[in-house]
Every structure is written in structure tokens, then in C-alpha cells.
mmCIF file of all heavy atoms in Angstrom:
data_model
loop_
_atom_site.group_PDB
_atom_site.id
_atom_site.type_symbol
_atom_site.label_atom_id
_atom_site.label_comp_id
_atom_site.label_asym_id
_atom_site.label_seq_id
_atom_site.Cartn_x
_atom_site.Cartn_y
_atom_site.Cartn_z
ATOM 1 N N ASN A 1 51.628 206.455 79.911
ATOM 2 C CA ASN A 1 50.354 205.759 79.895
ATOM 3 C C ASN A 1 50.473 204.483 80.711
ATOM 4 O O ASN A 1 51.403 203.637 80.525
ATOM 5 C CB ASN A 1 50.024 205.396 78.423
ATOM 6 C CG ASN A 1 48.681 204.767 78.253
ATOM 7 O OD1 ASN A 1 48.169 204.073 79.163
ATOM 8 N ND2 ASN A 1 48.045 204.980 77.142
ATOM 9 N N SER A 2 49.543 204.229 81.636
ATOM 10 C CA SER A 2 49.625 203.086 82.502
ATOM 11 C C SER A 2 49.609 201.723 81.728
ATOM 12 O O SER A 2 50.111 200.740 82.167
ATOM 13 C CB SER A 2 48.481 203.064 83.528
ATOM 14 O OG SER A 2 47.243 202.961 82.850
ATOM 15 N N SER A 3 49.108 201.739 80.521
ATOM 16 C CA SER A 3 49.122 200.516 79.707
ATOM 17 C C SER A 3 50.540 200.200 79.184
ATOM 18 O O SER A 3 50.768 199.088 78.687
ATOM 19 C CB SER A 3 48.115 200.559 78.513
ATOM 20 O OG SER A 3 48.585 201.620 77.635
ATOM 21 N N ASN A 4 51.459 201.173 79.372
ATOM 22 C CA ASN A 4 52.860 200.894 78.889
ATOM 23 C C ASN A 4 53.787 200.532 80.099
ATOM 24 O O ASN A 4 54.949 200.501 79.893
ATOM 25 C CB ASN A 4 53.422 202.213 78.255
ATOM 26 C CG ASN A 4 52.665 202.454 76.922
ATOM 27 O OD1 ASN A 4 52.168 201.575 76.301
ATOM 28 N ND2 ASN A 4 52.798 203.743 76.511
ATOM 29 N N ILE A 5 53.183 200.265 81.238
ATOM 30 C CA ILE A 5 53.974 199.888 82.355
ATOM 31 C C ILE A 5 53.779 198.411 82.628
ATOM 32 O O ILE A 5 52.597 197.945 82.753
ATOM 33 C CB ILE A 5 53.559 200.727 83.628
ATOM 34 C CG1 ILE A 5 53.832 202.183 83.435
ATOM 35 C CG2 ILE A 5 54.253 200.201 84.878
ATOM 36 C CD1 ILE A 5 53.259 203.131 84.446
ATOM 37 N N ILE A 6 54.838 197.712 82.784
ATOM 38 C CA ILE A 6 54.761 196.268 83.030
ATOM 39 C C ILE A 6 55.544 196.015 84.331
ATOM 40 O O ILE A 6 56.659 196.476 84.526
ATOM 41 C CB ILE A 6 55.505 195.420 81.899
ATOM 42 C CG1 ILE A 6 54.847 195.725 80.592
ATOM 43 C CG2 ILE A 6 55.424 193.937 82.213
ATOM 44 C CD1 ILE A 6 55.644 195.207 79.367
ATOM 45 N N GLU A 7 54.885 195.331 85.275
ATOM 46 C CA GLU A 7 55.508 195.055 86.517
ATOM 47 C C GLU A 7 54.934 193.700 87.038
ATOM 48 O O GLU A 7 53.793 193.317 86.715
ATOM 49 C CB GLU A 7 55.388 196.146 87.551
ATOM 50 C CG GLU A 7 53.941 196.527 87.889
ATOM 51 C CD GLU A 7 53.892 197.716 88.865
ATOM 52 O OE1 GLU A 7 54.856 198.008 89.525
ATOM 53 O OE2 GLU A 7 52.850 198.361 88.866
ATOM 54 N N GLY A 8 55.724 193.030 87.866
ATOM 55 C CA GLY A 8 55.313 191.730 88.431
ATOM 56 C C GLY A 8 54.462 191.934 89.682
ATOM 57 O O GLY A 8 54.626 192.923 90.419
ATOM 58 N N SER A 9 53.605 191.044 89.917
ATOM 59 C CA SER A 9 52.791 191.018 91.181
ATOM 60 C C SER A 9 53.434 190.141 92.259
ATOM 61 O O SER A 9 54.403 189.437 91.957
ATOM 62 C CB SER A 9 51.380 190.507 90.890
ATOM 63 O OG SER A 9 51.446 189.120 90.608
ATOM 64 N N LEU A 10 52.909 190.195 93.399
ATOM 65 C CA LEU A 10 53.420 189.384 94.502
ATOM 66 C C LEU A 10 52.474 188.179 94.777
ATOM 67 O O LEU A 10 52.218 187.859 95.874
ATOM 68 C CB LEU A 10 53.595 190.216 95.730
ATOM 69 C CG LEU A 10 54.824 191.107 95.778
ATOM 70 C CD1 LEU A 10 54.889 191.998 96.971
ATOM 71 C CD2 LEU A 10 56.097 190.249 95.614
ATOM 72 N N GLN A 11 51.962 187.580 93.703
ATOM 73 C CA GLN A 11 51.112 186.400 93.787
ATOM 74 C C GLN A 11 51.914 185.182 93.418
ATOM 75 O O GLN A 11 52.346 185.051 92.240
ATOM 76 C CB GLN A 11 49.882 186.559 92.898
ATOM 77 C CG GLN A 11 48.987 187.724 93.192
ATOM 78 C CD GLN A 11 48.410 187.661 94.625
ATOM 79 O OE1 GLN A 11 47.992 186.586 95.051
ATOM 80 N NE2 GLN A 11 48.432 188.774 95.280
ATOM 81 N N ALA A 12 52.109 184.264 94.330
ATOM 82 C CA ALA A 12 52.932 183.078 94.075
ATOM 83 C C ALA A 12 52.164 181.864 93.628
ATOM 84 O O ALA A 12 52.737 180.778 93.395
ATOM 85 C CB ALA A 12 53.775 182.748 95.357
ATOM 86 N N GLU A 13 50.857 181.988 93.451
ATOM 87 C CA GLU A 13 49.995 180.897 93.015
ATOM 88 C C GLU A 13 50.468 180.310 91.723
ATOM 89 O O GLU A 13 50.796 181.140 90.783
ATOM 90 C CB GLU A 13 48.587 181.261 92.897
ATOM 91 C CG GLU A 13 47.967 181.763 94.174
ATOM 92 C CD GLU A 13 46.728 182.681 93.929
ATOM 93 O OE1 GLU A 13 46.141 182.599 92.873
ATOM 94 O OE2 GLU A 13 46.392 183.407 94.904
ATOM 95 N N ASN A 14 50.628 178.974 91.576
ATOM 96 C CA ASN A 14 50.980 178.329 90.402
ATOM 97 C C ASN A 14 52.456 178.543 89.975
ATOM 98 O O ASN A 14 52.734 178.200 88.799
ATOM 99 C CB ASN A 14 50.071 178.564 89.225
ATOM 100 C CG ASN A 14 48.588 178.210 89.601
ATOM 101 O OD1 ASN A 14 48.380 177.203 90.123
ATOM 102 N ND2 ASN A 14 47.686 179.128 89.273
ATOM 103 N N LEU A 15 53.227 179.196 90.785
ATOM 104 C CA LEU A 15 54.617 179.348 90.459
ATOM 105 C C LEU A 15 55.469 178.258 91.099
ATOM 106 O O LEU A 15 55.145 177.793 92.204
ATOM 107 C CB LEU A 15 55.130 180.752 90.902
ATOM 108 C CG LEU A 15 54.544 181.972 90.256
ATOM 109 C CD1 LEU A 15 55.078 183.239 90.955
ATOM 110 C CD2 LEU A 15 54.823 181.955 88.783
ATOM 111 N N LYS A 16 56.531 177.905 90.365
ATOM 112 C CA LYS A 16 57.417 176.872 90.918
ATOM 113 C C LYS A 16 58.825 177.470 91.221
ATOM 114 O O LYS A 16 59.331 178.159 90.306
ATOM 115 C CB LYS A 16 57.560 175.682 89.849
ATOM 116 C CG LYS A 16 56.283 174.923 89.697
ATOM 117 C CD LYS A 16 56.545 173.744 88.807
ATOM 118 C CE LYS A 16 55.273 173.036 88.469
ATOM 119 N NZ LYS A 16 54.665 172.253 89.539
ATOM 120 N N PHE A 17 59.300 177.153 92.365
ATOM 121 C CA PHE A 17 60.595 177.752 92.796
ATOM 122 C C PHE A 17 61.529 176.639 93.205
ATOM 123 O O PHE A 17 61.115 175.596 93.684
ATOM 124 C CB PHE A 17 60.327 178.659 94.021
ATOM 125 C CG PHE A 17 59.451 179.795 93.829
ATOM 126 C CD1 PHE A 17 58.091 179.704 94.109
ATOM 127 C CD2 PHE A 17 59.880 180.983 93.267
ATOM 128 C CE1 PHE A 17 57.223 180.710 93.933
ATOM 129 C CE2 PHE A 17 58.987 182.057 93.020
ATOM 130 C CZ PHE A 17 57.670 181.887 93.330
ATOM 131 N N SER A 18 62.793 176.939 93.042
ATOM 132 C CA SER A 18 63.811 176.132 93.646
ATOM 133 C C SER A 18 64.648 177.047 94.508
ATOM 134 O O SER A 18 64.855 178.212 94.179
ATOM 135 C CB SER A 18 64.718 175.480 92.591
ATOM 136 O OG SER A 18 65.620 174.656 93.265
ATOM 137 N N ILE A 19 65.071 176.547 95.662
ATOM 138 C CA ILE A 19 65.880 177.268 96.587
ATOM 139 C C ILE A 19 67.141 176.421 96.807
ATOM 140 O O ILE A 19 67.025 175.313 97.240
ATOM 141 C CB ILE A 19 65.172 177.528 97.951
ATOM 142 C CG1 ILE A 19 63.826 178.305 97.648
ATOM 143 C CG2 ILE A 19 66.071 178.353 98.850
ATOM 144 C CD1 ILE A 19 63.022 178.460 98.898
ATOM 145 N N VAL A 20 68.293 177.010 96.499
ATOM 146 C CA VAL A 20 69.535 176.311 96.723
ATOM 147 C C VAL A 20 70.194 176.919 97.901
ATOM 148 O O VAL A 20 70.421 178.144 97.982
ATOM 149 C CB VAL A 20 70.495 176.453 95.443
ATOM 150 C CG1 VAL A 20 71.818 175.726 95.662
ATOM 151 C CG2 VAL A 20 69.763 175.981 94.197
ATOM 152 N N CYS A 21 70.485 176.066 98.929
ATOM 153 C CA CYS A 21 70.990 176.488 100.192
ATOM 154 C C CYS A 21 72.374 175.936 100.500
ATOM 155 O O CYS A 21 72.632 174.755 100.226
ATOM 156 C CB CYS A 21 70.108 176.000 101.301
ATOM 157 S SG CYS A 21 68.377 176.631 101.227
ATOM 158 N N ALA A 22 73.246 176.779 100.983
ATOM 159 C CA ALA A 22 74.621 176.344 101.405
ATOM 160 C C ALA A 22 74.515 175.808 102.850
ATOM 161 O O ALA A 22 73.944 176.374 103.711
ATOM 162 C CB ALA A 22 75.586 177.512 101.404
ATOM 163 N N ARG A 23 75.081 174.623 103.017
ATOM 164 C CA ARG A 23 75.095 173.930 104.329
ATOM 165 C C ARG A 23 76.087 174.671 105.312
ATOM 166 O O ARG A 23 75.931 174.662 106.480
ATOM 167 C CB ARG A 23 75.464 172.506 104.177
ATOM 168 C CG ARG A 23 75.124 171.698 105.376
ATOM 169 C CD ARG A 23 75.302 170.190 105.169
ATOM 170 N NE ARG A 23 74.779 169.623 103.987
ATOM 171 C CZ ARG A 23 73.448 169.377 103.774
ATOM 172 N NH1 ARG A 23 72.566 169.628 104.745
ATOM 173 N NH2 ARG A 23 73.055 168.815 102.648
ATOM 174 N N PHE A 24 77.157 175.240 104.749
ATOM 175 C CA PHE A 24 78.152 175.976 105.570
ATOM 176 C C PHE A 24 77.403 177.162 106.227
ATOM 177 O O PHE A 24 76.678 177.913 105.567
ATOM 178 C CB PHE A 24 79.266 176.523 104.699
ATOM 179 C CG PHE A 24 80.563 176.849 105.530
ATOM 180 C CD1 PHE A 24 81.342 175.883 105.944
ATOM 181 C CD2 PHE A 24 80.785 178.175 105.817
ATOM 182 C CE1 PHE A 24 82.496 176.226 106.725
ATOM 183 C CE2 PHE A 24 81.873 178.510 106.554
ATOM 184 C CZ PHE A 24 82.739 177.541 107.011
ATOM 185 N N ASN A 25 77.518 177.343 107.539
ATOM 186 C CA ASN A 25 76.793 178.291 108.288
ATOM 187 C C ASN A 25 75.270 178.041 108.248
ATOM 188 O O ASN A 25 74.458 178.948 108.231
ATOM 189 C CB ASN A 25 77.068 179.729 107.823
ATOM 190 C CG ASN A 25 78.461 180.209 108.092
ATOM 191 O OD1 ASN A 25 78.972 179.872 109.228
ATOM 192 N ND2 ASN A 25 79.107 180.909 107.205
ATOM 193 N N ASP A 26 74.958 176.717 108.303
ATOM 194 C CA ASP A 26 73.512 176.318 108.190
ATOM 195 C C ASP A 26 72.693 176.842 109.298
ATOM 196 O O ASP A 26 71.432 176.951 109.158
ATOM 197 C CB ASP A 26 73.385 174.834 107.965
ATOM 198 C CG ASP A 26 73.750 174.010 109.230
ATOM 199 O OD1 ASP A 26 74.535 174.500 110.026
ATOM 200 O OD2 ASP A 26 73.310 172.886 109.308
ATOM 201 N N PHE A 27 73.240 177.139 110.450
ATOM 202 C CA PHE A 27 72.435 177.776 111.544
ATOM 203 C C PHE A 27 71.662 179.033 111.016
ATOM 204 O O PHE A 27 70.526 179.188 111.308
ATOM 205 C CB PHE A 27 73.338 178.147 112.729
ATOM 206 C CG PHE A 27 72.600 178.890 113.808
ATOM 207 C CD1 PHE A 27 71.802 178.185 114.709
ATOM 208 C CD2 PHE A 27 72.676 180.293 113.873
ATOM 209 C CE1 PHE A 27 71.119 178.894 115.684
ATOM 210 C CE2 PHE A 27 71.985 180.917 114.872
ATOM 211 C CZ PHE A 27 71.185 180.265 115.746
ATOM 212 N N PHE A 28 72.430 179.882 110.211
ATOM 213 C CA PHE A 28 71.800 181.013 109.649
ATOM 214 C C PHE A 28 70.982 180.707 108.423
ATOM 215 O O PHE A 28 69.956 181.291 108.204
ATOM 216 C CB PHE A 28 72.912 182.066 109.301
ATOM 217 C CG PHE A 28 73.753 182.450 110.456
ATOM 218 C CD1 PHE A 28 75.043 182.039 110.551
ATOM 219 C CD2 PHE A 28 73.232 183.176 111.512
ATOM 220 C CE1 PHE A 28 75.857 182.371 111.617
ATOM 221 C CE2 PHE A 28 74.005 183.556 112.572
ATOM 222 C CZ PHE A 28 75.356 183.155 112.668
ATOM 223 N N VAL A 29 71.537 179.842 107.592
ATOM 224 C CA VAL A 29 70.827 179.548 106.273
ATOM 225 C C VAL A 29 69.504 178.891 106.479
ATOM 226 O O VAL A 29 68.540 179.230 105.761
ATOM 227 C CB VAL A 29 71.757 178.619 105.418
ATOM 228 C CG1 VAL A 29 71.086 178.260 104.050
ATOM 229 C CG2 VAL A 29 73.097 179.338 105.135
ATOM 230 N N THR A 30 69.278 178.080 107.559
ATOM 231 C CA THR A 30 67.992 177.488 107.804
ATOM 232 C C THR A 30 66.985 178.594 108.116
ATOM 233 O O THR A 30 65.814 178.496 107.728
ATOM 234 C CB THR A 30 68.006 176.446 108.912
ATOM 235 O OG1 THR A 30 68.615 176.993 110.091
ATOM 236 C CG2 THR A 30 68.821 175.213 108.476
ATOM 237 N N LYS A 31 67.424 179.612 108.783
ATOM 238 C CA LYS A 31 66.494 180.748 109.092
ATOM 239 C C LYS A 31 66.163 181.523 107.783
ATOM 240 O O LYS A 31 65.011 181.970 107.621
ATOM 241 C CB LYS A 31 67.145 181.699 110.099
ATOM 242 C CG LYS A 31 67.319 180.957 111.457
ATOM 243 C CD LYS A 31 67.863 181.873 112.531
ATOM 244 C CE LYS A 31 68.085 181.163 113.852
ATOM 245 N NZ LYS A 31 67.291 180.064 114.227
ATOM 246 N N LEU A 32 67.151 181.676 106.904
ATOM 247 C CA LEU A 32 66.872 182.297 105.603
ATOM 248 C C LEU A 32 65.831 181.420 104.799
ATOM 249 O O LEU A 32 64.918 181.935 104.209
ATOM 250 C CB LEU A 32 68.125 182.427 104.781
ATOM 251 C CG LEU A 32 69.241 183.323 105.367
ATOM 252 C CD1 LEU A 32 70.493 183.321 104.479
ATOM 253 C CD2 LEU A 32 68.747 184.743 105.613
ATOM 254 N N LEU A 33 66.047 180.114 104.785
ATOM 255 C CA LEU A 33 65.128 179.217 104.120
ATOM 256 C C LEU A 33 63.744 179.302 104.673
ATOM 257 O O LEU A 33 62.787 179.399 103.971
ATOM 258 C CB LEU A 33 65.673 177.774 104.182
ATOM 259 C CG LEU A 33 64.832 176.692 103.589
ATOM 260 C CD1 LEU A 33 64.556 176.943 102.115
ATOM 261 C CD2 LEU A 33 65.408 175.343 103.784
#
């Protein structure tokens, strides 16, 4: 039954994120960021 399926959406509104980045190999990490 579809009412028994729980999944997340791809809507980032009102969500808070932190991104922790390694400075080592920062040439690549800045592109990931």
C-alpha cells in the first residue's frame, strides 16, 4: 500500500546543513563544495 511507503523528497527549503571540508587536497575539495 502506498500509504506504507516513507521516503524523503529532494526539497531543501527550510533545511539546515553543515558541510565539513578537508583542506588537504583543497583543489579538489573546493570543487566538491
Side-chain angles (χ1 to χ4, degrees):
N1 183 331
S2 63
S3 65
N4 293 338
I5 297 173
I6 303 170
E7 58 185 340
S9 70
L10 284 175
Q11 299 299 318
E13 297 160 20
N14 302 316
L15 295 176
K16 293 187 186 286
F17 301 94
S18 182
I19 305 174
V20 181
C21 299
R23 196 174 312 283
F24 197 80
N25 290 322
D26 68 337
F27 174 80
F28 303 110
V29 178
T30 55
K31 294 181 183 333
L32 298 177
L33 176 60

